[in-house]
Amino acid sequence: MTARFKDLALDANDHQALADWWCSAIGYVRHASAAERPPTDPIPIADPAGKGPLIWLNPVTEPKTVKNRMHLDVVGDRAELLALGATMVREEDDDIRWDILADPEGNEFCVFAPE
């Protein structure tokens, strides 16, 4: 084996606020180690049930300018995510069976309706 999956990382201009947004959006919490870190360090958020991957919100100075080459897929309620502050990028249509939204900093993610 050359490598194994470890964590996900997401760049953010305001990594503290975006960590809170993603926690609200997907039910994650700040990882216990986040309390020990300086506020300028990356913020780890975790699935409290221990099933999902650890996600790091990394502070960056440059704004997002192009479409993500990698993104998150979530199962959830589009209207609730929009109410939290996501924006619609593309609605489900004849070509795709999911919605494409963006978080408050413009990072795209796909939303699949619950079954």
Side-chain angles (χ1 to χ4, degrees):
M1 173 175 66
T2 304
R4 68 175 176 80
F5 179 80
K6 182 181 176 299
D7 302 327
L8 294 173
L10 186 61
D11 290 347
N13 295 127
D14 185 346
H15 68 298
Q16 297 285 344
L18 203 59
D20 291 340
W21 189 88
W22 276 105
C23 285
S24 295
I26 62 175
Y28 269 40
V29 296
R30 286 180 181 236
H31 189 271
S33 67
E36 303 163 6
R37 300 173 163 279
T40 55
D41 277 7
I43 299 296
I45 62 173
D47 178 354
K51 295 181 180 182
L54 190 68
I55 301 174
W56 289 88
L57 284 291
N58 298 322
V60 298
T61 57
E62 70 277 359
K64 182 183 172 297
T65 58
V66 297
K67 182 183 180 300
N68 297 19
R69 295 297 300 252
M70 184 181 293
H71 62 267
L72 301 178
D73 285 351
V74 302
V75 174
D77 184 292
R78 168 179 78 178
E80 289 179 14
L81 291 162
L82 291 169
L84 281 175
T87 56
M88 179 63 68
V89 174
R90 180 178 175 186
E91 290 187 45
E92 176 181 357
D93 58 30
D94 291 338
D95 294 327
I96 60 172
R97 295 182 312 271
W98 55 88
D99 295 307
I100 302 171
L101 275 61
D103 71 18
E105 289 206 14
N107 300 299
E108 296 97 355
F109 61 100
C110 294
V111 180
F112 293 81
E115 294 182 9

